[in-house]
Amino acid sequence: MTDKTDTIAQSFKTIMQALGEDTRREGLLDTPRRAAKAMQFLTQGYAQDLESVVNNATFESDMDEMVVVQDIELYSLCEHHLLPFIGKCHIAYIPQGRVLGLSKLARIVDMYARRFQIQENLTRQIAEAVENVTGAEGVGVVIEAQHMCMMMRGVEKQNSLMKTSVMLGSFRKSQATRNEFLTLISRR
Ligand SMILES: Nc1nc2c(ncn2[C@@H]2O[C@H](COP(=O)(O)OP(=O)(O)OP(=O)(O)O)[C@@H](O)[C@H]2O)c(=O)[nH]1
Ligand SMILES: [Zn+2]
């Protein structure tokens, strides 16, 4: 176990004890360590950066029409309660000489989602990253997600869905471009 995992595991043990659990009971003996490793996995985006995630996988292309990838699943943790929010991310861009390796869009989503986030900032970070690495003339990102902090606790609303969007460049300037994106992702 690394020092970091050790520190996090010790903290989980303290939390469990404060909640009234007997951390010596058999079923819980390994739980602090497992929880620490799970939390490190769920926040591994802190240890990643855009350059290494994209790994130079942009390719020259004459394509100058919209590229859309929809329904990229997303698991993040809200920065207020550290509870999951879960949903889908839709990304579109209009290339300007270079296209991005398809899997890299999903990797960019994961890198920012696996940090403590609010949905609005996550949406913007993904859009700006796609703009940076592709040099696209425009980028649109929509996220639809359900927040466990609203479902399992607090207001306890089970059916509300938060939708956020960030439009950059031509997606912001042109209503037609924005509508094309929104129409494409509304078809399943
Ligand atoms: N805008 C936004 N708010 C979020 C997100 N995730 C959680 N929240 C909200 O953050 C707010 C924190 O409000 P507080 O009043 O400080 O905390 P709280 O007492 O736990 O709030 P309740 O959830 O209303 O019980 C709540 O309204 C949450 O619903 C997010 O991604 N975006
Ligand atoms: Zn929350």
Side-chain angles (χ1 to χ4, degrees):
M1 218 163 26
T2 65
D3 283 354
K4 203 176 190 179
T5 311
D6 226 358
T7 306
I8 300 167
Q10 192 52 51
S11 306
F12 272 118
K13 195 169 179 179
T14 306
I15 291 170
M16 290 161 67
Q17 287 166 348
L19 291 170
E21 260 294 359
D22 173 7
T23 50
R24 290 163 308 178
R25 83 178 165 79
E26 201 194 344
L28 294 184
L29 285 179
D30 274 342
T31 297
R33 187 188 56 85
R34 287 194 208 96
K37 291 177 98 171
M39 190 53 89
Q40 282 179 293
F41 178 86
L42 296 174
T43 58
Q44 67 188 357
Y46 287 124
Q48 298 172 329
D49 64 76
L50 192 55
E51 203 183 326
S52 48
V53 160
V54 171
N55 193 28
N56 288 322
T58 63
F59 311 103
E60 261 181 52
S61 169
D62 294 337
M63 171 67 164
D64 60 358
E65 294 292 335
M66 189 177 298
V67 177
V68 182
V69 182
Q70 76 179 78
D71 296 331
I72 301 169
E73 56 288 21
L74 172 151
Y75 299 92
S76 190
L77 293 172
C78 90
E79 68 183 29
H80 301 133
H81 302 96
L82 312 188
L83 287 172
F85 62 97
I86 299 170
K88 288 175 178 172
C89 180
H90 315 295
I91 304 178
Y93 68 104
I94 299 180
Q96 208 165 215
R98 298 196 83 75
V99 293
L100 180 61
L102 179 57
S103 67
K104 305 307 179 188
L105 290 170
R107 289 191 187 282
I108 289 171
V109 170
D110 285 346
M111 177 179 86
Y112 292 111
R114 288 184 177 144
R115 299 178 183 188
F116 300 135
Q117 283 285 11
I118 63 170
Q119 190 176 321
E120 294 90 329
N121 295 347
L122 174 60
T123 314
R124 176 158 296 280
Q125 287 164 12
I126 293 168
E128 288 177 352
V130 174
E131 184 181 52
N132 282 344
V133 296
T134 59
E137 66 154 68
V139 176
V141 175
V142 169
I143 294 178
E144 312 172 47
Q146 290 194 295
H147 289 245
M148 293 306 136
C149 64
M150 266 188 70
M151 297 170 72
M152 297 171 70
R153 57 158 297 288
V155 287
E156 298 182 60
K157 296 296 174 213
Q158 307 309 316
N159 296 306
S160 69
L161 188 65
M162 186 181 198
K163 297 191 182 190
T164 45
S165 68
V166 169
M167 306 287 168
L168 302 177
S170 54
F171 284 66
R172 193 172 180 81
K173 285 186 223 115
S174 156
Q175 176 117 40
T177 302
R178 196 159 56 235
N179 285 349
E180 182 183 343
F181 171 42
L182 297 175
T183 304
L184 283 167
I185 63 171
S186 68
R187 291 194 204 127
R188 299 281 147 124

